[in-house]
Amino acid sequence: MDKFRMIFQFFQSNQESFMNGICGIMALASTQMYSAFDFNCPCLPHYNLAYGLGILLVPPFILFLLGFVLNNNISMLAEEWRRPQGQRGKDPSVLRYMFCSMAQRAMIAPAVWVSVTLLDGKCITCAFCTSVPVETLGNASHSRLSQGEIQRILARIPCKEIYNGQQLIANEVAVRYLRCISQALGWCFVLLMTTLAFLVRSLRPCFSQAAFLKSRYWSHYIDIERKLFDETCAEHARSFAKVCIQQFFEGMSTDLVAARCHLPRKAPANAGEAAEKLLGITDQGTMNRALKSWHRCKPPLHLHPPALPTGNGWVGEGQPPTHPSVPRRETAAYYSWV
């Protein structure tokens, strides 16, 4: 139980760990979905290809979209992309980093589905059973059948219980042939995905490490800034509601006193603290203007205005540092008249 608690705490440590955990759970869920899926090939010439490729490609596309939906950064990316320029510029490299990061995580579950499907071989067997080379694996001299009849017989290869073309080609031979091709494609796909992941992880720091660190830093900053803004708004809403409720009950107590209903009055606790948290925003219109201003013109990412050189510092880059001026020594001479 302690191990599961430690794993859960690790997933909650930061946004990337949380999304990695979600993607891992989705990858495991994709394998469980495929194992629980009842694969039934239609065994018809014009439907086998559509059914097999549909099972191979449609669920990965759904899992890919689901990976984007479960990612909390998708709304942050859309908001940062669509917001007005305002007082803060939008860095395209940061937006690309956020999109690529989400896309890489969303691709994990689809890649697992495609790998498991190809290694199992049922989809390829169903989709390409009519393309089995009868001349090589079967009895090509069976000329009493037309091409359409041969296609109908080959389409029943995945359905062993209704297959009736043993004279044309053995069912076990055709299934093993297609399954070997499917497994070869599956292992090639796994090798390709592993090689691409290795190249991305190992070669990226060799070319653009500084740009990568910059994009990653500001991506984390946008995420943290959004969380802090939400927390500040929630705290302001709580203080606003607390002051409103206190004023409401104070007004009710005043009305009751005016109606000669003497009630014990007690000073509200922490009323001054709640009023201080309002930061001067005490009406709905002002709060709405503040929220619109935050969206339209976010403050620039510059905490202090440029200052004149003081001490051993200087303004801007490329300007030489100014050394502290040596205080001028003043001497006084005294003359005596003798």
Side-chain angles (χ1 to χ4, degrees):
M1 193 65 184
D2 295 335
K3 293 182 179 180
F4 286 106
R5 188 181 297 109
M6 291 176 60
I7 294 174
F8 185 71
Q9 291 176 355
F10 172 75
F11 286 157
Q12 286 187 328
S13 60
N14 53 59
Q15 182 70 14
E16 288 192 357
S17 300
F18 176 75
M19 292 314 305
N20 290 334
I22 292 294
C23 293
I25 293 174
M26 288 184 59
L28 293 176
S30 65
T31 57
Q32 293 296 323
M33 289 171 57
Y34 183 79
S35 61
F37 177 70
D38 188 12
F39 187 89
N40 292 315
C41 186
C43 296
L44 296 173
H46 302 290
Y47 297 96
N48 285 7
L49 182 63
Y51 182 82
L53 295 182
I55 297 301
L56 179 64
L57 301 177
V58 173
F61 180 73
I62 297 175
L63 291 173
F64 180 74
L65 296 180
L66 188 61
F68 271 100
V69 171
L70 294 179
N71 199 317
N72 295 330
N73 291 337
I74 185 64
S75 59
M76 181 177 65
L77 175 62
E79 178 183 354
E80 183 68 16
W81 179 48
R82 293 294 300 171
R83 72 172 176 85
Q85 189 75 12
Q87 299 181 8
R88 182 190 303 178
K90 293 183 286 186
D91 193 349
S93 62
V94 177
L95 299 179
R96 285 195 302 268
Y97 171 80
M98 295 169 61
F99 178 79
C100 293
S101 178
M102 288 186 293
Q104 289 174 7
R105 291 185 176 92
M107 282 293 295
I108 295 177
V112 171
W113 177 276
V114 173
S115 302
V116 173
T117 304
L118 290 177
L119 292 176
D120 185 57
K122 293 180 181 178
C123 290
I124 298 299
T125 303
C126 179
F128 299 100
C129 57
T130 56
S131 302
V132 174
V134 182
E135 297 81 2
T136 306
L137 303 177
N139 185 11
S141 61
H142 200 75
S143 58
R144 293 179 298 174
L145 300 176
S146 63
Q147 188 65 26
E149 293 175 346
I150 293 177
Q151 292 294 317
R152 283 194 296 270
I153 292 175
L154 294 178
R156 297 176 183 176
I157 290 177
C159 306
K160 188 176 181 179
E161 62 278 2
I162 61 174
Y163 181 69
N164 56 355
Q166 293 292 339
Q167 298 82 6
L168 183 64
I169 184 174
N171 181 270
E172 294 80 5
V173 174
V175 170
R176 181 168 296 185
Y177 172 79
L178 294 173
R179 184 165 294 178
C180 289
I181 295 177
S182 179
Q183 291 178 352
L185 293 175
W187 285 115
C188 290
F189 180 79
V190 173
L191 179 61
L192 177 63
M193 291 292 103
T194 307
T195 305
L196 288 177
F198 170 76
L199 292 177
V200 169
R201 288 290 185 178
S202 60
L203 297 181
R204 182 171 55 184
C206 300
F207 296 98
S208 59
Q209 181 65 11
F212 170 73
L213 290 176
K214 183 195 72 172
S215 303
R216 184 176 182 180
Y217 175 85
W218 290 116
S219 174
H220 291 334
Y221 173 83
I222 294 174
D223 183 27
I224 295 172
E225 184 187 50
R226 185 187 184 189
K227 291 180 180 178
L228 291 177
F229 184 78
D230 292 341
E231 293 174 1
T232 305
C233 290
E235 184 178 0
H236 184 276
R238 181 179 179 86
S239 302
F240 192 87
K242 188 174 183 179
V243 173
C244 286
I245 292 172
Q246 288 175 352
Q247 291 181 357
F248 169 76
F249 280 101
E250 287 176 0
M252 288 296 297
S253 62
T254 303
D255 295 340
L256 291 176
V257 170
R260 298 179 182 179
C261 297
H262 300 285
L263 297 176
R265 298 191 63 182
K266 184 178 180 181
N270 299 328
E273 182 181 355
E276 290 179 357
K277 292 181 180 180
L278 294 178
L279 301 176
I281 303 177
T282 56
D283 61 278
Q284 184 178 4
T286 307
M287 189 64 199
N288 290 338
R289 286 195 297 272
L291 295 175
K292 291 179 181 178
S293 176
W294 175 262
H295 173 69
R296 292 176 181 174
C297 50
K298 289 186 177 182
L301 298 177
H302 186 72
L303 299 181
H304 300 288
L308 294 175
T310 57
N312 58 351
W314 67 92
V315 180
E317 297 180 358
Q319 299 180 5
T322 58
H323 298 285
S325 59
V326 180
R328 186 177 58 183
R329 300 179 63 183
E330 297 181 357
T331 58
Y334 299 94
Y335 300 93
S336 60
W337 297 87
V338 179

